[in-house]
Amino acid sequence: MKIAVIQSDIIWGDIAGNIAAARTMMDREPDADLYVLPEMFTTGFNGNCETQPSEGLAFMQEEAKRRNCAVAGSIALGLEDGMRVNRFYFVTPDKVVYYDKRHLFNYGGEGRQYRAGNRRAIAEWKGARFLLTVCYDLRFPVWSRNRKDYDVMLCVASWPVQRRYAWDTLLRARAIENQCFVVAANRVGKDPSCVYDGGSVILDPLGKPIAVCRDGVAETVAGEVDLKTLADLRASFPVLADSDEFSLSRD
């Protein structure tokens, strides 16, 4: 399976402009099976939120059908009850799976504006199972622990440059401990609060890079995820069989 990671420079609050930029960046890898866009790719973090029906979701559905692919990314979405969610959509030509970000970044005020999700979400596409996670979720390994229910962890983010070392380290840890591929799409550029330098990457189950975006550059990179290689590794080194059992009170 060919996966393309979109490392975009999100225009603050400009939904139409960000959608147009995302389409152009997808065109750079026209034959990918899955495209992964950053967190809040239509507005930026804590910019204007979308309302339903979502323009970003409509774009993802259109591209999934036109390209016969899957498209993944998160959207800041206002709900009918007046609350907001940070909603990660995984869209295929005939289905939409979504996950509302569970771990809100209260240090940056996200919890004052958004409602946390309370369920994990796993999407399936072309024989692969994808765990959906968003940014700050990366710091909480119990939530993302592989229960033998996914093959690829997707993490979309607006992760700032000052915590880049943690980003790089945690992504590799999640790949190694869960014996999974990790596909991470972070943004570049600036917003009123932060500077972002990317670090978008595709990692193999040993934590080694398959494809890497250049720091600070808005670009698209792609890599192959081989499920047979994953199955062979898990069979030859079955660490997941020795995993601890966790009880999640809010799961």
Side-chain angles (χ1 to χ4, degrees):
M1 176 182 293
K2 183 177 180 180
I3 299 179
V5 179
I6 311 296
Q7 181 170 277
S8 56
D9 186 348
I10 299 170
I11 309 164
W12 185 253
D14 185 350
I15 296 172
N18 287 316
I19 287 174
R23 182 179 289 111
T24 297
M25 295 185 75
M26 291 169 70
D27 287 340
R28 296 173 185 172
E29 291 288 348
D31 58 344
D33 299 298
L34 166 63
Y35 297 86
V36 185
L37 296 152
E39 179 183 19
M40 297 186 181
F41 75 92
T42 61
T43 59
F45 192 84
N46 285 340
N48 299 331
C49 74
E50 292 196 39
T51 56
Q52 295 176 314
S54 161
E55 295 174 63
L57 176 58
F59 156 73
M60 296 169 81
Q61 291 175 303
E62 176 187 342
E63 292 301 316
K65 292 176 181 178
R66 183 169 74 88
R67 301 172 189 266
N68 190 31
C69 70
V71 184
S74 105
I75 291 170
L77 186 65
L79 303 179
E80 292 179 356
D81 62 5
M83 293 297 296
R84 292 180 175 187
V85 289
N86 188 342
R87 182 159 290 178
F88 187 173
Y89 285 111
F90 188 103
V91 180
T92 63
D94 58 2
K95 188 174 182 180
V96 175
V97 175
Y98 74 85
Y99 160 72
D100 291 342
K101 183 179 180 182
R102 177 183 175 100
H103 298 97
L104 300 179
F105 190 55
N106 289 306
Y107 178 82
E110 188 179 16
R112 294 192 297 271
Q113 301 183 56
Y114 291 83
R115 182 168 64 203
N118 59 9
R119 63 173 183 86
R120 282 168 42 123
I122 293 171
E124 298 189 21
W125 175 240
K126 292 194 172 183
R129 301 167 299 169
F130 299 87
L131 177 71
L132 311 186
T133 69
V134 181
C135 201
Y136 194 44
D137 286 330
L138 188 60
R139 290 183 177 269
F140 302 94
V142 174
W143 179 246
S144 59
R145 185 63 172 163
N146 198 331
R147 308 172 191 176
K148 303 180 184 178
D149 56 356
Y150 70 86
D151 309 301
V152 183
M153 180 186 295
L154 302 182
C155 184
V156 300
S158 291
W159 196 286
V161 64
Q162 65 265 33
R163 291 184 285 277
R164 173 64 187 278
Y165 183 80
W167 166 259
D168 293 338
T169 303
L170 292 169
L171 288 173
R172 282 157 178 75
R174 299 294 88 84
I176 294 165
E177 73 191 8
N178 292 299
Q179 280 195 326
C180 68
F181 292 97
V182 169
V183 180
N186 192 27
R187 63 162 296 180
V188 294
K190 299 179 180 180
D191 65 22
S193 301
C194 295
V195 176
Y196 308 89
D197 70 343
S200 303
V201 66
I202 302 174
L203 301 174
D204 74 11
L206 299 175
K208 297 178 180 179
I210 295 172
V212 181
C213 286
R214 291 172 291 172
D215 289 355
V217 178
E219 66 177 353
T220 306
V221 301
E224 293 287 339
V225 168
D226 184 352
L227 295 182
K228 184 180 184 305
T229 298
L230 176 62
D232 290 345
L233 172 64
R234 289 176 173 176
S236 64
F237 189 44
V239 299
L240 294 180
D242 299 322
S243 298
D244 296 306
E245 295 294 331
F246 293 106
S247 176
L248 298 173
S249 60
R250 291 187 295 163
D251 188 12

